[in-house]
Amino acid sequence: MQTVLGANGQIAEVLTDYLYENITDEIRLVSRNPVRRHDTDQLLAADLTDPDAASRAVQGSDIAYLTVGLPMDSTRWERQFPAIMANTIAACREHGTKLVFFDNTYMYPRTSTPQTEDAEFRPAGRKSVVRATIATMLLDEMRTGAVDAVICRAPEFYGPGKTKSLTNSAVFDRIRQGRRAMIPVSAHTRRSLIWTPDAARAMGLIGNTPDAYGQTWHLPVDPARPSYADMISVAREITGHRIRHATIPAVAFTIGSLFDKSAKEVSELIPRYGADNIFDSTKFAARFPDFPITPYRQGIGEILDGRP
């Protein structure tokens, strides 16, 4: 049995399909309102902030994948994410279940220094502090051997379907709708974006590779790392249309945060767009050389075509 915790998101859905097609048809999907993707999926409604519910969710599982996402709400993150991580760790210890954690890079320094799996945590802002806290919780358990776990870390998403990110919503979705692309801070800093289906499939691969455990892995990205200006040039070539865009300075997000709660939540992340983002996934590429990584041109084309 393999269990996906937080089963309704884009990563979880592609991960579930990968497991079903390549690993097993014994899959349990856990969320507040899980939805079956295959006839054999087992559904379990659970609130993972409840220790007993987390234990029931993990019970009988060989591997559990923690892919839970929460809305961009710092207070909710501070209240729920540490509880979810603590309860999941406890449940995996109790039932002898391996744990695969889908992580992000919020806790990394906001600099152009290449980010490897050994990068220090230097959180700045409430959400990044939460992400550093829960990653450290799991790393401490891994170091003591209390739980057999692996961390799969990804940079900002771009992708099809339910993919949610600032780049998707402000740039690619607007281009697809014929609207002006809104570029955060700079059109010329280099970006590392991960294609969400690649991230999910790579997570499933790592979770079913026994010698990958006890480590942190950066999930695979196209190493080209284009700027937003480069991406817009690609979109122009694909569509054959002139792409209008505007660069939104950091101060605009700061001012917006004074009047809008959603803008306030996003503003914490904006300084990251002022420097090159060099997310290094060479460790994964060396260990899994046959894994197909989606090139940016292909990914951008699929988004603009509106493929699911």
Side-chain angles (χ1 to χ4, degrees):
M1 172 72 69
Q2 299 203 8
T3 293
V4 180
L5 305 171
N8 290 344
Q10 173 74 358
I11 294 295
E13 289 184 351
V14 179
L15 170 63
T16 300
D17 292 344
Y18 173 88
L19 296 177
Y20 181 81
E21 293 164 5
N22 297 277
I23 307 297
T24 180
D25 62 1
E26 295 184 357
I27 300 171
R28 178 183 295 150
L29 303 181
V30 179
S31 70
R32 290 178 181 270
N33 297 288
V35 177
R36 183 173 283 106
R37 292 187 63 79
H38 315 101
D39 290 343
T40 56
D41 292 344
Q42 299 181 22
L43 304 185
L44 178 64
D47 175 0
L48 296 177
T49 64
D50 178 346
D52 292 334
S55 178
R56 290 193 299 272
V58 169
Q59 185 176 13
S61 305
D62 299 310
I63 301 173
Y65 301 84
L66 183 55
T67 68
V68 173
L70 294 175
M72 295 291 278
D73 180 327
S74 295
T75 299
R76 186 171 176 182
W77 280 37
E78 290 164 346
R79 184 176 66 250
Q80 295 187 353
F81 265 137
I84 289 169
M85 177 60 79
N87 293 341
T88 302
I89 290 172
C92 288
R93 282 201 310 259
E94 177 186 2
H95 299 295
T97 300
K98 292 182 177 181
L99 176 58
V100 183
F101 174 44
F102 186 77
D103 199 9
N104 69 25
T105 63
Y106 285 9
M107 75 292 290
Y108 281 166
R110 300 171 173 182
T111 69
S112 58
T113 302
Q115 300 168 345
T116 67
E117 287 84 353
D118 297 324
E120 67 173 327
F121 290 179
R122 199 187 300 167
R126 293 170 67 186
K127 285 181 284 296
S128 61
V129 168
V130 171
R131 298 303 304 197
T133 297
I134 63 175
T136 300
M137 289 169 64
L138 183 55
L139 285 167
D140 289 344
E141 297 289 331
M142 291 163 62
R143 291 189 188 104
T144 65
V147 63
D148 196 8
V150 61
I151 295 175
C152 298
R153 187 164 290 141
E156 184 179 358
F157 298 158
Y158 82 118
K162 296 180 180 179
T163 300
K164 294 181 180 179
S165 71
L166 183 57
T167 295
N168 250 42
S169 61
V171 180
F172 296 129
D173 288 349
R174 291 178 66 91
I175 292 173
R176 192 179 68 247
Q177 296 160 3
R179 303 166 67 193
R180 185 191 303 267
M182 309 300 282
I183 296 173
V185 184
S186 173
H188 302 291
T189 55
R190 299 169 66 195
R191 314 310 307 159
S192 295
L193 304 176
I194 193 164
W195 183 245
T196 47
D198 287 356
R201 290 190 290 262
M203 185 181 183
L205 176 59
I206 289 172
N208 288 279
T209 302
D211 65 10
Y213 281 77
Q215 305 175 58
T216 296
W217 293 85
H218 278 184
L219 296 175
V221 298
D222 179 349
R225 303 186 185 95
S227 67
Y228 283 121
D230 296 329
M231 296 179 211
I232 287 173
S233 292
V234 171
R236 184 186 307 119
E237 293 171 6
I238 290 170
T239 63
H241 301 306
R242 177 174 174 265
I243 306 294
R244 298 175 303 141
H245 70 276
T247 300
I248 310 303
V251 66
F253 290 95
T254 302
I255 294 171
S257 70
L258 300 175
F259 305 99
D260 183 86
K261 184 177 186 297
S262 296
K264 182 177 181 180
E265 295 293 345
V266 171
S267 66
E268 174 188 318
L269 309 178
I270 295 305
R272 301 174 182 277
Y273 294 87
D276 292 342
N277 177 240
I278 311 299
F279 180 85
D280 187 334
S281 58
T282 54
K283 174 181 173 180
F284 180 95
R287 176 62 180 81
F288 304 102
D290 297 328
F291 185 91
I293 299 173
T294 302
Y296 285 108
R297 185 180 184 88
Q298 177 185 336
I300 293 170
E302 290 191 22
I303 294 173
L304 298 183
D305 284 345
R307 300 181 192 177

